[in-house]
Amino acid sequence: MKKHLLQVLLAMALLSQACQSTSQSEKTNLDSTLTAAGTSAVPPASEAALSSRLRDIGLTTDSDWRGIRLGDAAATVKEKEKATLFETDAKHLGYTVEFANLESIDMLYLLGANQTVSGIEVDLYLNDAQSVDAYQTDLKRYFDARYKATATAGIWQGDRGQTITLKNVSKGKDYGLKVRIAGSTSA
């Protein structure tokens, strides 16, 4: 029994050493390839924080939400937003995206008197607490990389005066998050 245990431990140690050698070799090859190509292995902070989950809901690093920036004209929203329009009037444009897993996102682009986006309200309707935690973690990381955190948790300040808030609005068996992006003069 002791001999068998010793053989298993020895095999595990050899396997561990082989994995470490391979990983170091692959890292060295990747580093030398990147250096030869003249590219940086480190993406910009906001790009690095853009998880596949956030890419799937349409976030980008060059807009406030899904290609839309505060100050964009209503016509620009109608042109760029590819979600399903469910509501429109002189004060807002409402869009929705439904996912195969029965989760969905509603976006309300608030319009000012000059028919430009003055604020964005986003409701994420999620299936369970784990999904809320995953999205909340990804969104916090993304907002931390893009904006300046304030003294209040869940609130960030943008470089163009916008205020970004992220709130868990789950109640009972209804799970979700709320994101608000407001301009410096928006209520």
Side-chain angles (χ1 to χ4, degrees):
M1 178 77 168
K2 288 181 184 178
K3 184 177 178 181
H4 181 59
L5 182 60
L6 185 58
Q7 289 173 338
V8 169
L9 291 173
L10 181 59
M12 288 175 58
L14 290 172
L15 183 59
S16 174
Q17 181 64 30
C19 288
Q20 288 175 353
S21 296
T22 300
S23 294
Q24 184 60 37
S25 172
E26 289 172 357
K27 183 181 181 308
T28 301
N29 288 341
L30 178 61
D31 288 346
S32 62
T33 301
L34 290 174
T35 302
T39 59
S40 171
V42 180
S46 56
E47 190 68 40
L50 192 56
S51 69
S52 63
R53 181 183 343 277
L54 298 183
R55 275 190 229 94
D56 288 347
I57 63 173
L59 291 189
T60 66
T61 59
D62 61 352
S63 66
D64 291 314
W65 191 264
R66 292 176 52 91
I68 308 300
R69 292 171 60 105
L70 295 181
D72 282 352
T76 301
V77 175
K78 291 176 182 177
E79 176 187 316
K80 288 184 175 182
E81 182 57 76
K82 301 304 180 203
T84 303
L85 179 68
F86 71 85
E87 188 172 85
T88 182
D89 67 22
K91 295 183 179 183
H92 68 272
L93 299 169
Y95 290 86
T96 190
V97 176
E98 294 186 20
F99 297 104
N101 64 354
L102 303 179
E103 294 182 333
S104 64
I105 301 173
D106 287 350
M107 285 101 23
L108 204 60
Y109 298 99
L110 306 174
L111 303 175
N114 56 0
Q115 291 296 288
T116 60
V117 177
S118 61
I120 303 170
E121 293 184 4
V122 180
D123 292 307
L124 288 90
Y125 301 100
L126 305 170
N127 290 333
D128 52 38
Q130 292 80 12
S131 189
V132 169
D133 289 343
Y135 272 103
Q136 192 168 26
T137 298
D138 285 358
L139 285 165
K140 281 182 180 179
R141 185 175 296 128
Y142 174 72
F143 292 148
D144 283 344
R146 288 203 61 196
Y147 305 110
K148 180 182 176 191
T150 64
T152 306
I155 300 177
W156 295 264
Q157 192 68 45
D159 60 353
R160 295 181 343 268
Q162 70 273 46
T163 299
I164 300 88
T165 60
L166 172 64
K167 185 176 181 183
N168 182 339
V169 293
S170 301
K171 290 184 182 176
K173 293 185 180 188
D174 293 327
Y175 299 98
L177 294 169
K178 177 105 174 163
V179 176
R180 292 189 78 185
I181 304 168
S184 58
T185 59
S186 297

